[in-house]
């Protein structure tokens, strides 16, 4: 009913990810590479991921999902708009 926005997507910037030190970016880089391989999607500069995947990554990084999202935003890997995607899903 009018004025509906689609929910924001979690879109990883793969080029920025390459410039993040591997001791921070390693687990995320491996996770993203696995998704690319499962999809056969190798040529993108960005990769859209499931919100469930952010929750899985939060377990890997031992952080609440929202705090992991803040980390990724601070690295420039995730758009600040993605905050709304995380907030919506708890
Ligand atoms: P699957 O989950 O059984 O999905 C099969 C196919 O359904 C996918 O093939 C894709 O064409 C479509 N699909 C499923 N969910 C979505 C969605 O949310 N958005 C879109 N656009 N399409 C969707 P595809 O892409 O070749 O992926 C093959 C398998 O690789 C998937 O099987 C899943 O097991 C895995 N996979 C791919 N991308 C992701 C991801 O971002 N996260 C996770 N957890 N697994 C993924
Ligand atoms: P969008 O989701 O806003 O994506 C905009 C552009 O970002 C895409 O343009 C593509 O260049 C890039 N992009 C986003 N996510 C990925 C990703 O996971 N892998 C790669 N390699 N590139 C990505 P594109 O391809 O011309 O698509 C334009 C729009 O068409 C998309 O906007 C989306 O709304 C729709 N679209 C394209 N492919 C799919 C799909 O497989 N499933 C769904 N549901 N929508 C799609
Ligand atoms: P999208 O393709 O625009 O899908 C938006 C949301 O619609 C997804 O959010 C999911 O909740 C639902 N959805 C779309 N297609 C399917 C499907 O085949 N099965 C189910 N169960 N739900 C579906 P989600 O999961 O957070 O994914 C966000 C974005 O990540 C997707 O946007 C798509 O760009 C990408 N993505 C996720 N999984 C896959 C996948 O398996 N393959 C590909 N190629 N892209 C995926």
């Amino acid at each position: 009913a009018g004025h509906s926005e689609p929910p924001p997507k979690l879109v990883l910037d793969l080029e920025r990810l390459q410039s993040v030190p591997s001791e921070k970016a390693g687990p995320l880089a491996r996770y993203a590479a696995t998704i690319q391989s499962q999809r056969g999607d190798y040529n993108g500069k960005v990769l859209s991921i499931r919100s469930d995947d952010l929750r899985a990554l939060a377990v890997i990084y031992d952080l609440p999902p929202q705090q992991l999202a803040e980390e990724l935003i601070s690295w420039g890997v995730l758009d600040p708009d993605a905050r709304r995607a995380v907030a919506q899903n708890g």
Side-chain angles (χ1 to χ4, degrees):
H3 208 82
S4 62
E5 287 178 74
K9 285 213 268 185
L10 297 168
V11 183
L12 301 176
D13 185 330
L14 298 177
E15 288 186 335
R16 286 299 294 266
L17 184 57
Q18 286 186 333
S19 68
V20 178
S22 64
E23 67 267 23
K24 290 169 152 188
L28 174 60
R30 287 191 291 275
Y31 200 101
T34 301
I35 290 173
Q36 285 184 291
S37 149
Q38 286 177 311
R39 292 185 191 167
D41 180 8
Y42 297 107
N43 296 317
K45 292 180 178 171
V46 300
L47 186 73
S48 300
I49 63 162
R50 298 181 184 175
S51 39
D52 277 351
D53 289 326
L54 189 76
R55 274 190 273 274
L57 282 162
V59 174
I60 293 167
Y61 278 92
D62 196 20
L63 290 172
Q66 210 132 12
Q67 207 175 313
L68 176 61
E70 292 302 325
E71 280 277 293
L72 302 189
I73 290 165
S74 76
W75 301 346
V77 164
L78 196 58
D79 189 278
D81 194 45
R83 279 186 190 118
R84 292 192 296 124
V86 183
Q88 275 171 5
N89 297 309

